[in-house]
Amino acid sequence: MKHFAGLAIMWLLSVIVTGAHAQTGSKPKQFSQFPDVITCTEAQLSRIFDAAVGQTVQLSFSDNFSFDGPVINNVVRYSNLQSAVIKSPAFNNSIFSVSRITNNDRSVTYVGRIINKNYFDGYELKQDASGKYRLVKIETDRAIPDCARP
């Protein structure tokens, strides 16, 4: 009976591992040749919001990472919130969705993501403790909820 219990546990673990691999292994990685963290400046981010819809924006970040493409949306949602979206043909139409938030003290905060639902990886724009902005690699399935899954 001990052998049966051991075999059952091994079988159960193999099913769990296979299921976990199937969830993450089905999509290709798009940014595998780029680092996990890429530095960007407020000046680069600010330029996005000066561009009109249809205008091409060229963003060159650290580590030879460039994200270029037309602005497909640039909307002032509230007096303190503006959002823009850039679509990059070079990255299989991945989008960089970024928002500029004007805080009560008139300081500005940026948030955003580079994502493509057909790929496993993307980037999230984060501000570190010193106020510098970085694109940090993420798994897109964790950033984009799939409402079709039970």
Side-chain angles (χ1 to χ4, degrees), residues 112-123:
R113 290 186 175 141
I114 297 174
I115 55 174
N116 185 324
K117 67 180 183 173
N118 297 322
Y119 289 90
F120 176 77
D121 56 352
Y123 284 99

Side-chain angles (χ1 to χ4, degrees), residues 3-18:
H3 293 292
F4 177 72
L7 289 173
I9 289 173
M10 288 179 59
W11 176 80
L12 181 61
L13 288 174
S14 68
V15 168
I16 291 170
V17 168
T18 303

